[in-house]
Amino acid sequence: MTYNKKSIEDICVKDKKVLVRCDFNVPQDENLNITDETRILGALPTIKYLKEHGAAVILCSHLGRPKGEFNPKYSLAPVAKRLGELLGCEVKMATDVIGESAHAMAASLKSGEIGMIENVRFHKEEEKNDAAFAKELASMAEIYVNDAFGTAHRAHASTAGVANYLPAVCGFLIQKEISIMGKALSDPKRPFVAVLGGAKVSDKIGVINNLLEKVDTIIIGGAMAYTFIKAQGGSIGTSRCEDDKLEYASEMLKKAADKGVRFLLPVDNLAADHFAADATPVVVDSEHIPENMMGLDIGPKTVALYEEAIRDAGTVVWNGPMGVFEFEAFAGGTRSVAAAVANSNAISIIGGGDSAAAVEQLGFADKMTHISTGGGASLEFLEGLELPGIACLQDK
Ligand code: AMP
């Protein structure tokens, strides 16, 4: 899927009311203090641009899972307050989403001013992409901007529905996501290496299948690897495995062979006799995982093999950890792969979710070309699926 969408730079926003869908789904502690403001910081370039170019900016987002009901625990007011501090100006906060307060706030906003409506998921109509709700949201503005990549794979009222009623373009965050990932998929610098890990083959079936059409090398790690090893006839002990995906795994191995794609699986593993942070890691070859042991990380020979494959890559796309990185004893494989990607000269694209968290936690974030802000959305992008929150925007 390649997108060539209009951005806020392609339209005139001066003196226009602009509804901007952001991803302000920030983590909070029990006192509702924001514990990680990365997503707010990520939204700043688009908001600043709109403010500086004379738009009246109406921000909206979801936060948590309020299940269609008003709930102060999920209010966006703390986000509005923090955003105001970061921008050095007032961010007017409405007390509802499409009610009197929101409409009054939107109507009173002057050019260069910023306001925010409440959590769109306070209405169950949001996730149902209800047309009347989308129309109400749209009625407050003259232009719609989507900058919430993390929810772009969802067809909700505020992520896609509103585009039926307003001219719709993307903000800088979405623009960056689609240009970097789009280029990697359509015209990658080669060799193109995909590193896929994590818990389940079933989550990444579409991604593996699509990437096999495009990459030169696929590297598999994490629990996922054991389904492939078993499909090849290996004995995997008590390692996690999806028996109903063995056939699929064989098909993918065959497809890789037919297409001349190098398909790398772990040759050795760090295994343990139980799943726990204090379990003692033992190095075992993939062909000989003892019956009572489970693979919890890639082993040293595999690390060397994967490092070698990543070293000369032109493009690396990485999604999913190589092992149970939450346990220090089994974090080494993920750390080594992160270091290899960071130290290569490749264009490096890190899928959101666990791999993004691992890269941040391990201190390699600033060495990557791009860390996607959306886990599910980036996976669907790599699968080649159409993302409703992007497809609905105007083409250039
Ligand atoms: P995902 O959400 O699919 O990216 O999977 C991430 C999860 O996979 C993490 O919580 C890891 O702990 C887990 N994981 C990775 N490798 C293994 C493994 N060998 N056995 C069990 N779980 C694993």
Side-chain angles (χ1 to χ4, degrees):
M1 183 61 52
T2 44
Y3 293 107
N4 192 15
K5 295 295 180 183
K6 279 190 188 168
S7 83
I8 45 178
E9 288 179 308
D10 298 314
I11 54 164
C12 175
V13 297
K14 191 167 167 38
D15 298 328
K16 295 275 177 12
K17 300 243 159 125
V18 180
L19 177 69
V20 188
R21 175 56 155 102
C22 296
D23 180 2
F24 288 141
N25 187 26
V26 291
Q28 288 168 290
D29 66 16
E30 62 281 5
N31 297 318
L32 303 183
N33 297 308
I34 296 164
T35 53
D36 180 353
E37 60 186 27
T38 309
R39 286 182 167 152
I40 304 179
L41 298 176
L44 289 178
T46 293
I47 299 170
K48 279 186 184 161
Y49 177 94
L50 291 170
K51 179 176 160 57
E52 281 159 16
H53 287 76
V57 185
I58 306 159
L59 302 170
C60 71
S61 175
H62 78 284
L63 174 64
R65 291 170 194 234
K67 301 200 173 113
E69 281 172 22
F70 271 76
N71 183 340
K73 201 177 142 198
Y74 299 106
S75 170
L76 281 167
V79 175
K81 181 165 173 278
R82 183 64 190 131
L83 184 62
E85 289 164 7
L86 290 165
L87 290 168
C89 68
E90 188 194 1
V91 175
K92 295 181 180 179
M93 186 70 214
T95 56
D96 56 28
V97 186
I98 48 164
E100 263 178 43
S101 170
H103 278 280
M105 185 274 290
S108 74
L109 271 193
K110 296 193 193 67
S111 300
E113 290 186 341
I114 300 173
M116 195 181 299
I117 59 172
E118 260 302 358
N119 189 340
V120 284
R121 289 196 190 164
F122 283 173
H123 290 261
K124 60 181 182 327
E125 291 85 351
E126 161 66 4
E127 290 185 70
K128 290 184 179 158
N129 196 8
D130 178 83
F133 180 70
K135 210 170 175 179
E136 272 296 322
L137 284 173
S139 72
M140 289 183 261
E142 298 161 277
I143 293 171
Y144 168 65
V145 173
N146 191 4
D147 210 21
F149 184 72
T151 46
H153 57 318
R154 307 276 181 230
H156 293 169
S158 73
T159 63
V162 277
N164 291 324
Y165 308 102
L166 291 174
V169 301
C170 65
F172 294 132
L173 258 184
I174 284 198
Q175 187 183 42
K176 185 171 175 225
E177 296 273 1
I178 58 181
S179 64
I180 295 183
M181 285 203 280
K183 168 110 175 59
L185 291 185
S186 61
D187 180 24
K189 189 165 166 233
R190 294 190 180 272
F192 183 5
V193 178
V195 184
L196 299 173
K200 294 202 273 173
V201 178
S202 48
D203 286 350
K204 307 223 162 111
I205 283 180
V207 178
I208 298 171
N209 197 21
N210 190 40
L211 288 181
L212 274 176
E213 306 285 342
K214 305 181 188 292
V215 300
D216 302 293
T217 303
I218 281 204
I219 291 176
I220 302 277
M224 238 171 54
Y226 301 104
T227 304
F228 284 96
I229 292 173
K230 188 167 175 185
Q232 283 184 323
S235 50
I236 57 168
T238 55
S239 305
R240 213 169 147 165
C241 177
E242 286 167 276
D243 284 319
D244 60 334
K245 294 292 170 293
L246 290 171
E247 206 173 308
Y248 170 80
S250 302
E251 275 170 33
M252 288 304 106
L253 290 164
K254 180 167 182 311
K255 181 169 172 178
D258 291 347
K259 293 200 162 286
V261 173
R262 200 173 166 212
F263 201 104
L264 297 180
L265 289 166
V267 290
D268 64 348
N269 313 268
L270 293 191
D273 59 5
H274 66 298
F275 185 91
D278 63 356
T280 309
V282 180
V283 178
V284 292
D285 281 346
S286 293
E287 290 122 69
H288 309 292
I289 302 179
E291 253 173 55
N292 64 335
M293 297 199 106
M294 59 178 81
L296 295 178
D297 195 10
I298 54 174
K301 278 190 273 183
T302 309
V303 166
L305 178 70
Y306 290 4
E307 282 173 345
E308 178 269 318
I310 291 165
R311 193 171 303 134
D312 301 320
T315 306
V316 180
V317 168
W318 179 17
N319 191 299
M322 295 291 100
V324 185
F325 75 104
E326 298 91 334
F327 299 162
E328 181 48 37
F330 302 98
T334 302
R335 189 178 293 129
S336 300
V337 165
V341 178
N343 294 329
S344 74
N345 291 321
I347 295 161
S348 48
I349 299 172
I350 315 300
D354 272 330
S355 7
V359 163
E360 307 257 358
Q361 194 183 312
L362 300 170
F364 293 112
D366 58 358
K367 293 209 165 157
M368 304 302 179
T369 310
H370 179 63
I371 299 180
S372 176
T373 53
S378 67
L379 267 185
E380 291 199 15
F381 198 99
L382 297 176
E383 260 184 90
L385 298 178
E386 184 176 271
L387 306 188
I390 296 172
C392 70
L393 307 175
Q394 290 183 348
D395 287 315
K396 270 199 186 175

